[in-house]
Amino acid sequence: MALSYKARRRWSLIILLIGLPLYIVVAVNVVDLFDRPSIWVEFLVYVGLGILWILPFKFVFLGVGQADPDAQPEDDDRHAGQ
């Protein structure tokens, strides 16, 4: 079942505004459970977790920044005479 363009835009906003901050809090708390590793290991863990969160939602974000493919084209004739 494919999501419409408007549904993908709504879900992407929900994911970015609610889901991502929650994921950041969880990731920091999980890393905090362990003894502090070296800065490079910690950096790699955060980069890995930063990439990992987007994989399940990749299809939601594809094409969201583009124009709505289902929208009616604007009438460009009104600008032709100017």
Side-chain angles (χ1 to χ4, degrees), residues 26-75:
V26 169
V28 169
N29 286 328
V30 167
V31 172
D32 193 39
L33 292 175
F34 304 107
D35 290 332
R36 186 166 181 133
S38 72
I39 191 72
W40 292 109
V41 172
E42 189 173 356
F43 175 74
L44 290 175
V45 167
Y46 282 124
V47 168
L49 290 173
I51 293 170
L52 185 66
W53 81 270
I54 194 64
L55 293 178
F57 303 115
K58 184 178 179 181
F59 73 95
V60 173
F61 291 102
L62 287 177
V64 171
Q66 305 292 325
D68 186 356
D70 299 329
Q72 297 292 333
E74 290 186 18
D75 188 15

Side-chain angles (χ1 to χ4, degrees), residues 1-22 53-54 56-65:
M1 184 172 112
L3 292 173
S4 69
Y5 176 78
K6 288 185 180 185
R8 286 186 314 176
R9 282 187 61 134
R10 288 184 192 117
W11 277 112
S12 65
L13 281 174
I14 291 169
I15 291 168
L16 288 175
L17 295 176
I18 297 171
L20 184 57
L22 289 175
W53 81 270
I54 194 64
F57 303 115
K58 184 178 179 181
F59 73 95
V60 173
F61 291 102
L62 287 177
V64 171

